[in-house]
Amino acid sequence: MNEQVQPTAEEIARHYSAAMDSVNLINGDQPEMMTDEDWADTLERNAAHLEIMVAKDYWTTENLTPFTAAIAKARA
């Protein structure tokens, strides 16, 4: 049997913080030294990370709206 353990409140907070790093990156500006191709790849990888995080079932009262908005922005 593969029983999953519910993360602690501290672990959930760390997951949320890490996901917000992706949100902030997506909502930020493309670095001057980064090519358009690299920027598009960076946006896609971070959007994919956020999709994984949104699908998690351990969220309690956390606001996931910034996650879904950043996914939409990255894919626009």
Side-chain angles (χ1 to χ4, degrees):
M1 272 180 143
N2 189 9
E3 192 173 319
Q4 290 193 349
V5 177
Q6 180 71 12
T8 66
E10 289 176 357
E11 290 168 331
I12 292 171
R14 281 195 301 270
H15 289 305
Y16 189 85
S17 179
M20 284 303 296
D21 289 343
S22 288
V23 169
N24 292 331
L25 187 142
I26 290 169
N27 288 331
D29 294 326
Q30 177 179 343
E32 289 182 28
M33 73 236 169
M34 187 177 279
T35 66
D36 289 345
E37 183 179 345
D38 285 345
W39 180 240
D41 182 57
T42 297
L43 292 176
E44 178 54 34
R45 281 185 285 111
N46 281 274
H49 171 245
L50 290 172
E51 284 182 329
I52 291 166
M53 298 310 293
V54 167
K56 299 293 183 185
D57 63 1
Y58 51 67
W59 301 117
T60 57
T61 61
E62 295 81 15
N63 180 5
L64 303 184
T65 302
F67 299 3
T68 56
I71 293 166
K73 181 177 181 179
R75 303 254 167 92

